[in-house]
Amino acid sequence: VGGPATTVTWTRDGEAVSGGNFTAARRLDDPVTAAYNLTLSVTGRQGGVYRCQVAKRGPGVSGNPVISSMELEVKVASPPTDFTAEQVNETTVRISWTPPASKESVTGYRIYYMATDSQGARGEYVTMNVNASETSCKLIHDLQAGLNYSFTMVALSEHLP
């Protein structure tokens, strides 16, 4: 009791990570060795350089208190532009887009779509993945005639699969 405490600090681009977009977790994996699994869950498109630092602080700690430090650069893909959905026939829609100007971190795209009937009842979201090297146009077949559909598209990166 009263010994040095182990602290875990997360930063992004040198600033402390906090707020609704971040959830930090610390789980004891091995009580014998005191090995912990440290996790930072990020919602939204939060690219940057993340750093996790584990340190001992408190009475009896002198010199550098850092036990371990890890750094990871997260590149977030820019979204596509000029996204359009054009009806081809009663059951097919052509989705087209312009890839982002900066494509170095784009590994692919994900299209989400959902049907809504005339009463406003919504169906389940359907997803379709598109490889970044494919065309910037995709046909979606087998849609149900007479329903309205909403479409959303995101660019995927190494850190947003």
Side-chain angles (χ1 to χ4, degrees), residues 113-130:
Y113 61 96
M114 177 177 56
T116 306
D117 68 16
S118 61
Q119 308 302 315
R122 296 173 174 231
E124 297 290 320
Y125 268 108
V126 178
T127 61
M128 173 186 281
N129 290 328
V130 181

Side-chain angles (χ1 to χ4, degrees), residues 90-102:
E90 279 192 341
T91 61
T92 304
V93 169
R94 177 183 296 111
I95 302 294
S96 61
W97 63 94
T98 301
S102 174

